Amino acid sequence: MRVRRLRKEVAALEVTAFINLIVVLVPFLLSTAVFTRLSVMDLSLPAQSSNKLEQLKANDLKLEIVIRPEALEVGDRIGGLIQRIEMKDGRHDVKALNTLMQSVKQKFPETKAASVLSEPDTSYEVLVQVMDAVRSGRSANGGTKLVRVELFPDVSVGDAPVRTKGS
């Protein structure tokens, strides 16, 4: 007697639908992914000591220039206000700021960092002018020819502190 065997064909794997799904799903997932951007700020916090004389060293200047609508306030973060430069002819007096920066640089020649703090309504033009006045200037250096002088090249930009009603 003859035995009849059924021949089974090998099943073909149909992946076309799966590939179509992946082609649509991958761009969708990439477009909706949230990429986070990390930033690191180096902060130097004062010591816990209450004595300000211990915190303020001879060459430890934390220069801050605050751009207010009516004036430029130049100060030390620890020591306080150095000078307030009022507006001149309806504009911020950048030349006076540059002169002050040159005199501060003579007292603290090793310091290279300064912070420019501006209020939210400060124009971009004023911000750039102040940064340029803080970064470098021109000096005669004893001669008749003006020479470009580096003042505080490491300029940081931030938000100005909010004024209280009393000030």
Side-chain angles (χ1 to χ4, degrees), residues 65 67 72 91-92 94-95 97-98 116-119 122-136 148 152 155-157:
I65 298 89
I67 304 173
L72 297 172
R91 305 183 90 180
H92 290 286
V94 181
K95 289 182 182 177
L97 174 65
N98 189 267
V116 176
L117 308 175
S118 63
E119 292 191 348
T122 303
S123 71
Y124 180 73
E125 180 182 348
V126 170
L127 181 63
V128 170
Q129 288 175 356
V130 169
M131 286 173 57
D132 288 342
V134 170
R135 191 176 293 132
S136 65
R148 192 163 213 49
F152 301 97
V155 177
S156 303
V157 180

Coordinates of all heavy atoms in Angstrom, one line a residue, residues 65 67 72 91-92 94-95 97-98 116-119 122-136 148 152 155-157:
I65 N 28.2 95.8 35.6 CA 27.6 97.0 35.0 C 26.1 96.7 34.8 O 25.8 95.8 34.1 CB 28.3 97.3 33.7 CG1 29.8 97.6 33.9 CG2 27.7 98.5 33.1 CD1 30.7 96.4 33.8
I67 N 22.6 98.0 33.4 CA 22.0 99.0 32.5 C 20.6 99.3 32.9 O 19.7 98.4 32.8 CB 22.0 98.5 31.0 CG1 23.4 98.1 30.6 CG2 21.4 99.5 30.1 CD1 23.5 97.4 29.3
L72 N 23.7 104.1 34.0 CA 24.6 102.9 34.0 C 25.1 102.9 35.4 O 25.7 103.8 35.9 CB 25.7 103.0 33.0 CG 25.3 103.0 31.6 CD1 26.6 103.3 30.7 CD2 24.7 101.7 31.1
R91 N 21.0 109.7 25.9 CA 21.7 108.4 25.6 C 22.6 108.0 26.7 O 23.0 108.9 27.5 CB 22.5 108.5 24.3 CG 21.7 109.1 23.1 CD 22.6 109.1 21.9 NE 22.4 107.8 21.3 CZ 23.0 107.4 20.2 NH1 23.8 108.2 19.6 NH2 22.8 106.2 19.7
H92 N 22.8 106.7 26.8 CA 23.8 106.3 27.8 C 25.2 106.8 27.5 O 25.6 106.7 26.4 CB 23.7 104.8 27.9 CG 22.5 104.2 28.5 ND1 22.2 104.3 29.9 CD2 21.4 103.6 27.9 CE1 21.0 103.8 30.1 NE2 20.5 103.3 28.9
V94 N 28.5 106.2 27.1 CA 29.4 105.0 27.0 C 30.8 105.5 27.1 O 31.7 104.7 27.5 CB 29.1 104.3 25.6 CG1 30.0 103.1 25.4 CG2 27.7 103.9 25.5
K95 N 31.1 106.7 26.7 CA 32.5 107.2 26.8 C 32.9 107.3 28.2 O 34.1 107.0 28.6 CB 32.6 108.5 26.0 CG 32.6 108.4 24.5 CD 32.7 109.8 23.9 CE 32.6 109.6 22.4 NZ 32.7 110.9 21.6
L97 N 31.7 105.6 30.6 CA 31.8 104.2 31.1 C 33.2 103.7 30.7 O 33.9 103.0 31.6 CB 30.7 103.4 30.5 CG 30.8 101.9 30.8 CD1 30.7 101.6 32.3 CD2 29.8 101.1 30.1
N98 N 33.6 103.9 29.5 CA 34.9 103.4 29.0 C 36.1 104.0 29.8 O 37.0 103.4 30.2 CB 35.1 103.7 27.6 CG 36.3 103.0 27.0 OD1 37.4 103.6 26.9 ND2 36.2 101.7 26.6
V116 N 27.7 92.2 32.5 CA 26.8 93.3 32.1 C 25.4 92.8 32.3 O 24.9 91.8 31.7 CB 27.0 93.6 30.6 CG1 26.0 94.6 30.1 CG2 28.4 94.1 30.4
L117 N 24.6 93.5 33.2 CA 23.3 93.1 33.5 C 22.3 94.1 33.0 O 22.5 95.3 33.2 CB 23.2 93.0 35.1 CG 24.2 92.1 35.7 CD1 24.1 92.2 37.3 CD2 24.1 90.7 35.3
S118 N 21.3 93.6 32.2 CA 20.4 94.6 31.6 C 19.0 94.3 32.0 O 18.6 93.1 32.2 CB 20.6 94.5 30.1 OG 20.2 93.3 29.6
E119 N 18.2 95.3 31.9 CA 16.7 95.1 32.2 C 16.1 94.6 30.9 O 16.6 94.7 29.8 CB 16.1 96.4 32.6 CG 16.6 96.8 34.0 CD 15.9 98.0 34.6 OE1 15.1 98.7 33.9 OE2 16.0 98.3 35.8
T122 N 15.9 96.8 27.6 CA 17.1 97.4 27.1 C 17.3 97.0 25.6 O 17.1 95.8 25.2 CB 18.3 96.9 27.8 OG1 18.1 97.2 29.2 CG2 19.6 97.5 27.4
S123 N 17.6 98.0 24.8 CA 17.8 97.7 23.3 C 19.1 97.0 23.1 O 20.0 97.1 23.8 CB 17.7 99.0 22.5 OG 18.9 99.8 22.7
Y124 N 19.1 96.2 22.0 CA 20.3 95.5 21.6 C 21.5 96.4 21.4 O 22.6 96.1 21.7 CB 19.9 94.6 20.4 CG 21.1 93.8 19.9 CD1 21.5 92.6 20.6 CD2 21.8 94.1 18.8 CE1 22.5 91.9 20.2 CE2 22.8 93.3 18.3 CZ 23.2 92.2 19.0 OH 24.2 91.4 18.6
E125 N 21.2 97.5 20.7 CA 22.3 98.5 20.4 C 23.0 99.0 21.7 O 24.2 99.0 21.7 CB 21.7 99.6 19.6 CG 22.7 100.7 19.2 CD 22.1 101.9 18.5 OE1 20.9 101.8 18.1 OE2 22.8 102.9 18.3
V126 N 22.2 99.3 22.7 CA 22.8 99.8 23.9 C 23.6 98.7 24.6 O 24.7 98.9 25.1 CB 21.7 100.3 24.9 CG1 22.2 100.6 26.3 CG2 21.0 101.6 24.3
L127 N 23.1 97.5 24.6 CA 23.8 96.4 25.2 C 25.1 96.1 24.5 O 26.1 96.0 25.2 CB 22.9 95.1 25.1 CG 23.5 93.8 25.7 CD1 23.7 94.0 27.2 CD2 22.6 92.7 25.4
V128 N 25.2 96.2 23.2 CA 26.4 96.0 22.5 C 27.4 97.1 22.7 O 28.6 96.9 22.9 CB 26.1 95.8 21.0 CG1 27.4 95.8 20.2 CG2 25.4 94.5 20.7
Q129 N 26.9 98.4 22.8 CA 27.8 99.5 23.1 C 28.4 99.4 24.4 O 29.6 99.7 24.6 CB 27.0 100.8 22.9 CG 26.6 101.2 21.5 CD 25.7 102.4 21.5 OE1 25.3 103.0 22.5 NE2 25.4 102.9 20.3
V130 N 27.6 99.0 25.4 CA 28.1 98.8 26.8 C 29.2 97.7 26.8 O 30.2 97.8 27.4 CB 27.0 98.6 27.8 CG1 27.5 98.2 29.1 CG2 26.2 99.9 27.9
M131 N 28.9 96.6 26.2 CA 29.8 95.5 26.1 C 31.1 95.9 25.5 O 32.2 95.5 25.9 CB 29.2 94.3 25.4 CG 28.1 93.6 26.2 SD 27.3 92.3 25.3 CE 28.6 91.2 24.7
D132 N 31.1 96.6 24.4 CA 32.3 97.1 23.7 C 33.1 98.0 24.6 O 34.3 98.0 24.6 CB 31.9 97.8 22.4 CG 31.5 96.8 21.3 OD1 31.7 95.6 21.5 OD2 30.8 97.3 20.4
A133 N 32.4 98.9 25.4 CA 33.1 99.9 26.3 C 33.7 99.1 27.4 O 34.8 99.5 27.9 CB 32.1 100.9 26.8
V134 N 33.2 98.0 27.8 CA 33.8 97.2 28.9 C 34.9 96.4 28.4 O 35.9 96.2 29.1 CB 32.7 96.4 29.6 CG1 33.2 95.4 30.6 CG2 31.6 97.2 30.3
R135 N 34.8 95.8 27.2 CA 35.8 94.9 26.7 C 37.1 95.6 26.4 O 38.1 95.0 26.7 CB 35.2 94.2 25.5 CG 36.0 93.1 25.0 CD 35.3 92.4 23.8 NE 34.1 91.8 24.2 CZ 32.9 91.9 23.6 NH1 32.8 92.6 22.5 NH2 31.9 91.3 24.1
S136 N 37.1 96.7 25.7 CA 38.3 97.3 25.3 C 38.1 98.8 25.1 O 37.0 99.3 25.1 CB 38.8 96.8 23.9 OG 37.9 97.1 22.9
R148 N 45.0 100.6 21.2 CA 43.8 99.8 21.7 C 44.3 99.0 22.9 O 45.3 98.3 22.9 CB 43.3 98.8 20.6 CG 42.0 98.2 21.0 CD 41.4 97.6 19.7 NE 40.0 97.6 19.5 CZ 39.1 98.5 19.7 NH1 39.5 99.7 20.1 NH2 37.8 98.4 19.4
F152 N 38.4 94.4 30.0 CA 37.8 93.2 30.6 C 37.2 92.4 29.5 O 36.0 92.5 29.2 CB 36.7 93.6 31.6 CG 37.2 94.5 32.7 CD1 37.1 95.9 32.7 CD2 37.8 93.9 33.8 CE1 37.6 96.7 33.7 CE2 38.3 94.7 34.9 CZ 38.2 96.1 34.8
V155 N 33.3 89.0 29.1 CA 32.1 89.7 29.5 C 31.0 88.6 29.5 O 30.8 87.9 28.6 CB 31.7 90.8 28.4 CG1 30.4 91.4 28.8 CG2 32.8 91.8 28.4
S156 N 30.2 88.7 30.7 CA 29.1 87.8 30.8 C 27.8 88.7 30.8 O 27.9 89.8 31.3 CB 29.1 87.1 32.2 OG 30.3 86.3 32.3
V157 N 26.8 88.2 30.2 CA 25.5 89.0 30.1 C 24.4 88.3 31.0 O 24.3 87.1 31.0 CB 25.1 89.1 28.6 CG1 23.8 89.9 28.5 CG2 26.2 89.7 27.8

